[in-house]
Amino acid sequence: MHPDRADMPPRHSRREILKSALGGAAVLALGRPAPGAASARQIETPADPAVDLGGGLFVVTVPGEANVVARADADGVLLVDGGSASGSERVLAEVSRIAGGGRIHTLFNTHWHPEQTGSNVRLGGEGASIIAQENTRLWLTTDVTWPWNGRRVDPLPEIGRPNRTFYDDGGELPSGVRYGYIPDAAHTDGDLYVHFPEENVLAVGDAVSGDGWPVVDWWTGGWIGGIVGGIERLIALSDPETRIVPARGRVLGRADLEEQYEMYGVIYSRLSQLLNSGRGPDEAVEARPTEEYDARMGNPDEFVRRAFESQWAYLSPDA
Ligand SMILES: [Zn+2]
C-alpha cells in the first residue's frame, strides 16, 4: 500500500485491502491479459468539430482523444481534462486555436485516467492550477496495472499532479465556475464534475458515457451501482436545458441522463441478482442482462463482465 493512502477514509481503505486480496486471484481467473487492448477500446473517436457552447465555452474534440472542455476568459483559458500524453500536443494546439491562444491557468482532472491527464506535466510545469478530487491525486502518485488487460500506468511526476485537491466539498472559482465530487464512484473513486452556471453546462468526464457502454474501472473504485447513483446526482444538478459534456461522445441533455438512469438501474438490478444467486462473470455475460439495449448500445460483453466484477468490492458479504 502506498504510504500516502494511509489517511484515506475507512471505506476506501477497506476496499483497497479487498482489492489487494482479490488482485492475484482476479488476474488468474480472468486469464486473458491483452496489453494495450484497453486503449483501443476506451476511446471512441468523436467525429464532431469543436462544439461552441456559448460564452467562450467549447468542447474541443481531437480524433482519437477524449473530449476536452475549454473556456476562454480575461485571464486566459480554463480546461476540463487535457487529453492523453501522446495527444497532448494536438489537443493543446486545438485549444489554442479555438480559445484564442491565452495561457492555460486552470486544468480540472475529472479523474486520474491517462486519457484525461496527459497534459498535466506540461501545464503543471507552466504553473497551471490543477484541480482534482484527492483520490485522483493519489492514483497519480502510484503505478496502476489493470488486472483484466495487464495494462500498466506509471505515476505522474510531482509537477504534473493535481496541486489543488478536495475531499467531499468542491468549490467555486472567482469566475463563477463550480466543481464538486461525484462520490458514487461511477467510473473511479475520484470523479468530479465542473458546472458552468452561466452557460448551463456540466462537464462530467467518464461518469457518464455519451458513446456506447461505459468503462467500469472497478480496480480504482468504479462500479455499476455508482453509475446509477452518479447519474441520479447529475440529474439533480441539471434542468431540462442543461448541456452535459461527457468524456466520450456527443453532448447530452437531461433527458438522455434520465434514459440512462433507468437503463443502468435495470442492469444493476439484474447483475446484483446474478451475484446474489452465486453466479460468476462468465454466467453474467451468458445471461444477457443488457439484451434489450444491445441493438442501440453495441456489444455489451466487456461492459457486463466489468460491471459484474465491480460488485465484488461493494456487495460481497465481507466488502
Ligand atoms: Zn476514464
Side-chain angles (χ1 to χ4, degrees), residues 111 113 115-116 187 206:
H111 60 295
H113 282 164
E115 291 81 6
Q116 277 70 39
H187 182 63
D206 274 324

Side-chain angles (χ1 to χ4, degrees), residues 15-35:
R15 267 193 286 137
E16 288 303 304
I17 292 161
L18 178 70
K19 271 190 287 190
S20 305
L22 275 172
V27 173
L28 288 175
L30 299 173
R32 283 196 298 269

Side-chain angles (χ1 to χ4, degrees), residues 42-43 110-116 146 187-188 191 205-207 215 217 247-248:
Q42 277 186 339
I43 299 298
T110 57
H111 60 295
W112 73 272
H113 282 164
E115 291 81 6
Q116 277 70 39
W146 286 297
H187 182 63
T188 70
D191 303 328
D206 274 324
V215 173
D217 181 1
R248 297 187 303 151

Side-chain angles (χ1 to χ4, degrees), residues 191-221:
D191 303 328
L192 70 69
Y193 66 83
V194 183
H195 184 205
F196 300 88
E198 272 177 46
E199 296 82 12
N200 199 1
V201 168
L202 269 177
V204 299
D206 274 324
V208 178
S209 172
D211 185 15
W213 296 112
V215 173
V216 188
D217 181 1
W218 58 261
W219 192 249
T220 66

Side-chain angles (χ1 to χ4, degrees), residues 26-161:
V27 173
L28 288 175
L30 299 173
R32 283 196 298 269
S39 50
R41 272 198 66 85
Q42 277 186 339
I43 299 298
E44 304 282 344
T45 305
D48 304 355
V51 179
D52 187 348
L53 299 167
L57 190 61
F58 300 89
V59 184
V60 178
T61 61
V62 168
E65 294 293 317
N67 291 333
V68 166
V69 174
R71 187 202 216 191
D73 58 32
D75 300 323
V77 179
L78 173 152
L79 284 190
V80 182
D81 291 329
S84 70
S86 63
S88 171
E89 205 167 315
R90 283 180 299 138
V91 167
L92 296 180
E94 186 65 359
V95 166
S96 177
R97 189 183 70 77
I98 290 167
R103 171 181 168 266
I104 296 169
H105 53 71
T106 305
L107 170 67
F108 284 96
N109 289 156
T110 57
H111 60 295
W112 73 272
H113 282 164
E115 291 81 6
Q116 277 70 39
T117 53
S119 292
N120 276 35
V121 168
R122 174 167 159 187
L123 296 179
E126 292 171 3
S129 270
I130 305 180
I131 305 176
Q133 204 274 341
E134 175 64 10
N135 290 339
T136 292
R137 189 188 68 81
L138 290 173
W139 288 119
L140 292 170
T141 65
T142 186
D143 59 84
V144 175
T145 302
W146 286 297
W148 48 84
N149 60 14
R151 184 182 171 202
R152 177 192 158 111
V153 182
D154 291 326
L156 281 187
E158 178 104 41
I159 190 74
R161 295 177 196 159

Side-chain angles (χ1 to χ4, degrees), residues 1 10-26 218-219 309-319:
M1 210 63 26
R11 189 177 73 115
H12 195 282
S13 309
R14 197 167 61 237
R15 267 193 286 137
E16 288 303 304
I17 292 161
L18 178 70
K19 271 190 287 190
S20 305
L22 275 172
W218 58 261
W219 192 249
E309 291 164 356
S310 78
Q311 302 178 107
W312 290 340
Y314 286 90
L315 299 182
S316 296
D318 60 348

